[in-house]
Amino acid sequence: ANEARVVLSARDLRRDFGGFTAVNNVNLDVHHARVHALIGPNGAGKTTVFNLLTKFLQPTSGTITLLGHDITKTPPANVARMGLVRSFQISAVFPHLTVLENVRVALQRPGGLAIQFWRSMNTLDSLNDRAMELLKSVGLEKDGDSYAADLSYGRKRVLEIATTLSLDPKVLLLDEPMAGMGQEDVGRVAEIIREVARSRAVLMVEHNLKVVADLCDHITVLQRGEILAEGNYDTVSNDERVRVAYMGT
Ligand code: ADP
């Protein structure tokens, strides 16, 4: 029953830009311990949905619920503090700090674990321990002393995920986490996301359909701002409308 718990949901979500409706009638249920993909052609509204869920954009109408709380009118910083965190863009990784230092900085951010648990985290040792633990959880423990600037592109993205995990999110939103990666890094990051999703919900925008097929438990297909289909990969990929609209077959 715990596995099927809905942690984030949107009801009748709509967003207009002037006279243009970018997102319409969107109902979304994101579950604990599942990897949920949001897919669809360019301009389908994926980014707008992410911006609405994180409250960077205010919905024109509809409601959003996070862990049982109505967050429709909640400011983005509070939403993040409540456990809905979007992966930081690569620019949020400080290139001239080491990998370990990057994670330590992240832990000490407002909302970071070091601040949440300051009583037990107020020595440098415990901060380092927690940072190493986080690096281990994403397979970067051997890179702790490397400058972030010297990491491969794939490892930089993994470091970005590690810094995001320092906020201990309950729902993690990932924006094309594998974009621009080689096959080997894609596999690594897929494993990390799978591991991360054991104890939280993951909602990701992803274009690589093989990744979606292999990794994602549930898929929502957007087209022109509306939900075209949803279900597991088999259901969605066999849907006639999805094949015509999205996969072009
Ligand atoms: P996707 O991420 O799926 O490519 P977007 O959410 O970025 O799609 O965009 C959905 C539609 O909304 C597009 O037609 C886009 O041009 C439009 N749109 C997005 N943001 C704005 C904005 N700030 N002002 C006007 N139109 C926007």
Side-chain angles (χ1 to χ4, degrees), residues 15 17 20-24 26 38-49 176 205 207 221-227 245-246:
R15 171 68 200 208
F17 292 111
F20 176 74
T21 303
V23 167
N24 194 25
V26 166
L38 193 57
I39 69 172
N42 277 338
K46 305 179 296 293
T47 307
T48 304
V49 167
E176 298 188 54
V205 169
H207 286 296
V221 186
L222 277 182
Q223 188 196 25
R224 292 193 208 99
E226 305 205 12
I227 292 178
Y246 185 54

Side-chain angles (χ1 to χ4, degrees), residues 60-77:
T60 301
S61 59
T63 54
I64 304 169
T65 308
L66 172 65
L67 301 164
H69 302 280
D70 187 331
I71 58 160
T72 312
K73 300 218 163 75
T74 307

Side-chain angles (χ1 to χ4, degrees), residues 31-240:
H31 291 77
H32 176 72
R34 283 193 197 163
V35 182
H36 188 148
L38 193 57
I39 69 172
N42 277 338
K46 305 179 296 293
T47 307
T48 304
V49 167
F50 262 32
N51 286 334
L52 291 170
L53 293 174
T54 50
K55 303 307 311 303
F56 282 101
L57 277 177
Q58 190 58 26
T60 301
S61 59
T63 54
I64 304 169
T65 308
L66 172 65
L67 301 164
H69 302 280
D70 187 331
I71 58 160
T72 312
K73 300 218 163 75
T74 307
N78 298 31
V79 168
R81 233 171 281 137
M82 289 168 71
L84 174 62
V85 178
R86 184 179 188 161
S87 70
F88 290 81
Q89 295 309 305
I90 199 157
S91 57
V93 166
F94 300 109
H96 303 300
L97 296 183
T98 68
V99 168
L100 187 67
E101 285 164 350
N102 264 284
V103 175
R104 275 180 21 201
V105 166
L107 282 166
Q108 294 178 91
R109 270 195 312 246
L113 281 171
I115 302 299
Q116 289 179 38
F117 303 128
W118 63 273
R119 282 180 200 81
S120 55
M121 299 292 295
N122 60 358
T123 69
L124 199 56
D125 276 355
S126 58
L127 191 59
N128 272 334
D129 287 352
R130 184 67 189 116
M132 273 313 287
E133 210 177 288
L134 258 174
L135 287 181
K136 259 186 213 142
S137 74
V138 297
L140 280 180
E141 68 273 18
K142 294 202 179 91
D143 299 296
D145 293 331
S146 306
Y147 286 103
D150 295 335
L151 293 180
S152 69
Y153 176 75
R155 285 180 182 231
K156 254 179 223 155
R157 296 300 305 256
V158 170
L159 175 58
E160 183 187 307
I161 292 174
T163 60
T164 306
L165 291 177
S166 72
L167 293 168
D168 196 26
K170 304 293 178 280
V171 186
L172 184 60
L173 267 49
L174 299 170
D175 227 325
E176 298 188 54
M178 280 89 159
M181 281 184 191
Q183 203 46 54
E184 197 180 315
D185 280 337
V186 167
R188 258 170 68 89
V189 172
E191 268 175 45
I192 289 164
I193 292 173
R194 179 43 67 197
E195 184 61 31
V196 160
R198 284 162 59 98
S199 55
R200 43 176 75 76
V202 173
L203 176 65
M204 58 191 272
V205 169
E206 183 53 61
H207 286 296
N208 183 335
L209 288 183
K210 179 160 176 7
V211 167
V212 172
D214 292 346
L215 176 65
C216 300
D217 307 301
H218 191 86
I219 299 154
T220 299
V221 186
L222 277 182
Q223 188 196 25
R224 292 193 208 99
E226 305 205 12
I227 292 178
L228 183 65
E230 66 179 314
N232 63 22
Y233 187 78
D234 278 348
T235 306
V236 161
S237 61
N238 284 314
D239 189 302
E240 192 65 28

